[in-house]
Amino acid sequence: MPNVLRLAVVDPNDKTREDLKAMLLGLDVVWLEAECSRYEFFPDVVTQTHPDIGVVSLDSDPERGIELLNTIRSTTPDCALLVVSSSTSGQLILQSMRAGAKEFLTLPLSGGDLSAALHRIGEQKFGASDSRNRNCEVIVVAGATGGVGATSVAVNMGCMLASREGNSVALMDLDLAVGDADVFLDSIPDYTLADVTQNIARLDFTLLKRSLTKHSSGLYLLPRPVELQDMSIINGDSIEKVITLLKASFTHLVIDLSKTYSEVDMAAMQMAAKIILVTQLDVPCLRNVVRLLLSFEQYEGLKEKVHVVVNRAGLESGPISIRKARETIGCDIYAQLPNDYRTMVEVRNNGVPLFEQDPKAAITLAMLGLVERLSGSSKETQEEESGEAVAVTESSGWLNFWPRGGKQKKS
């Protein structure tokens, strides 16, 4: 599914604006960022929401509408303009094109004409439809089994990414039955993934933003449903659309999977750029990693996205070495996160991310290193000690923008 085009619409006529809005919301390739009923307010709307396309209806006042096109073209040249009007006047069409309109459509609109016009504008702005990429990176975090710390990795990864200047990050909890990302973030969300899915047909920017809970780190959370029976309304198709819409607004989307590898989980994985598979150095976990990697081979390109991350490395009860783990699973270990039970319990109980709870802890620095490497910004070297790979990461660049003090540990 291609990324959506973000639109803002202006039409002083309530009826035609609602008709146009209904048609736009029926298209999978459209995200309605904003609607406006006054020509004079529309330049501010465009400046604040940064839509890909501004849709301008001229019928209420063609002269003022043409003036508006000229204003948008001069103040916000990155916003492509699509004009709609019931008039077929050649002079009006010519004036619109000279004022900067990329397309002129005659009312009443047909779905086919509207889709074709949007497709042409999309190709002009972003190239071929399959390359329309706003550089939103989708990272899926999966566990080899329950209890390996996948949710901890997903939540802290999301918070670290969100705290970096220039990033906007969302976290979606796909553990539909017993997900607890909200607990890690000490939040009580008003809306859940079930609410978003139920309103998928009329989902727009405003509604989706209201459905997300914002954490102090800047991370936006879309949690799992409250009621178990609401799980049935969430399927692969609806998840694909939700992910596509989130990609249109955020630079990063982190998805915490369930451990069932359901239709919903697999749909998310296929839309991901990277898959973090969290495991521990024990026989059951490593056997599951092998099984999962074999299963992923049935989906084109899926296995190549997988990065295996060992959590709780150094746990005394884990006699399996990194070298043995590599031999067992048949691929490299992407990163290791040290065992730090005390810090992780405090993080969970206090509902704060690692970099706030203990910014200098080994687990915090290792998590920062993982995030840096995923972002392509790490200065990583690999050293061999006794035949085992040890990742060494310089994280000072990231530490510069964390709050220096952090929160004090509670005794």
Side-chain angles (χ1 to χ4, degrees):
M1 181 184 294
N3 286 325
V4 297
L5 291 165
R6 298 183 291 185
L7 271 64
V9 174
V10 58
D11 186 351
N13 185 295
D14 292 340
K15 183 182 186 308
T16 56
R17 188 176 68 253
E18 287 301 315
D19 290 344
L20 179 58
K21 178 182 174 183
M23 179 170 287
L24 290 171
L25 291 177
L27 301 176
D28 287 342
V29 296
V30 165
W31 176 314
L32 186 58
E33 289 261 9
E35 56 178 306
C36 181
S37 62
R38 302 280 293 273
Y39 289 134
E40 61 267 32
F41 296 155
F42 196 58
D44 289 337
V45 170
V46 170
T47 300
Q48 293 170 13
T49 60
H50 306 289
D52 298 316
I53 301 174
V55 182
V56 180
S57 175
L58 298 181
D59 284 355
S60 293
D61 191 331
E63 185 175 343
R64 294 185 66 188
I66 295 297
E67 291 177 2
L68 173 62
L69 295 178
N70 281 305
T71 299
I72 297 297
R73 181 179 61 176
S74 62
T75 60
T76 322
D78 289 339
C79 177
L81 295 169
L82 186 155
V83 170
V84 297
S85 173
S86 58
S87 173
T88 57
S89 165
Q91 183 178 3
L92 184 62
I93 294 173
L94 182 59
Q95 287 178 326
S96 299
M97 294 303 179
R98 285 176 175 172
K102 299 294 185 182
E103 297 280 343
F104 188 104
L105 298 179
T106 303
L107 297 172
L109 293 177
S110 73
D113 288 344
L114 180 57
S115 294
L118 292 173
H119 180 76
R120 287 191 294 268
I121 294 176
E123 286 195 330
Q124 290 172 13
K125 285 183 67 67
F126 306 112
S129 59
D130 61 352
S131 64
R132 283 182 287 169
N133 188 351
R134 296 179 180 80
N135 297 321
C136 175
E137 185 164 55
V138 180
I139 303 173
V140 161
V141 182
T145 187
V148 294
T151 298
S152 297
V153 171
V155 170
N156 283 284
M157 181 185 301
C159 289
M160 289 175 178
L161 286 168
S163 296
R164 192 175 194 181
E165 185 177 356
N167 284 351
S168 56
V169 186
L171 170 66
M172 181 161 59
D173 191 347
L174 279 192
D175 194 344
L176 303 182
V178 293
D180 55 0
D182 55 333
V183 175
F184 276 84
L185 296 171
D186 191 25
S187 63
I188 304 176
D190 293 322
Y191 301 98
T192 72
L193 182 56
D195 299 305
V196 171
T197 303
Q198 286 175 321
N199 292 282
I200 199 75
R202 62 185 186 91
L203 197 63
D204 60 18
F205 175 82
T206 303
L207 178 60
L208 185 59
K209 277 287 188 180
R210 283 204 300 259
S211 302
L212 303 176
T213 300
K214 189 175 183 181
H215 184 257
S216 59
S217 66
L219 178 68
Y220 285 87
L221 172 66
L222 184 56
R224 50 93 183 102
V226 174
E227 303 292 337
L228 291 178
Q229 55 265 34
D230 288 339
M231 292 169 52
S232 62
I233 66 175
I234 301 169
N235 55 43
D237 289 340
S238 61
I239 281 299
E240 285 186 4
K241 176 139 191 201
V242 172
I243 291 174
T244 300
L245 295 178
L246 288 168
K247 286 176 65 178
S249 186
F250 294 93
T251 62
H252 298 78
L253 173 60
V254 181
I255 303 175
D256 185 21
L257 293 193
S258 75
K259 307 307 178 288
T260 62
Y261 292 91
S262 64
E263 169 203 4
V264 172
D265 295 319
M266 298 309 297
M269 292 178 76
Q270 291 181 78
M271 295 189 72
K274 296 171 183 174
I275 299 168
I276 305 303
L277 182 55
V278 183
T279 186
Q280 291 182 202
L281 295 179
D282 59 50
V283 173
C285 283
L286 295 178
R287 286 184 63 184
N288 279 347
V289 171
V290 173
R291 291 177 57 230
L292 290 168
L293 292 177
L294 287 172
S295 298
F296 294 163
E297 291 178 353
Q298 300 175 29
Y299 301 86
E300 183 178 357
L302 194 61
K303 184 178 177 181
E304 289 70 27
K305 302 177 184 179
V306 176
H307 302 298
V308 178
V309 172
V310 170
N311 194 22
R312 300 172 186 144
L315 191 64
E316 291 182 359
S317 59
I320 300 176
S321 68
I322 289 292
R323 174 182 289 177
K324 183 63 176 178
R326 284 201 305 259
E327 293 173 355
T328 301
I329 65 178
C331 67
D332 289 334
I333 303 298
Y334 187 75
Q336 302 175 53
L337 303 176
N339 182 47
D340 191 341
Y341 178 78
R342 179 186 174 189
T343 299
M344 294 311 300
V345 168
E346 290 176 343
V347 162
R348 184 182 179 90
N349 289 343
N350 295 338
V352 298
L354 275 166
F355 67 80
E356 289 186 16
Q357 180 66 40
D358 194 341
K360 295 183 180 180
I363 180 63
T364 306
L365 298 179
M367 186 71 71
L368 282 169
L370 172 60
V371 172
E372 284 186 335
R373 187 173 182 188
L374 289 169
S375 302
S377 58
S378 67
K379 300 175 181 178
E380 182 188 74
T381 62
Q382 293 292 330
E383 295 181 354
E384 293 293 324
E385 289 188 3
S386 304
E388 297 184 3
V390 179
V392 180
T393 308
E394 297 178 18
S395 301
S396 58
W398 282 74
L399 291 174
N400 286 337
F401 61 83
W402 299 138
R404 290 191 178 276
K407 289 192 176 182
Q408 296 297 318
K409 284 188 177 182
K410 294 182 179 181
S411 57

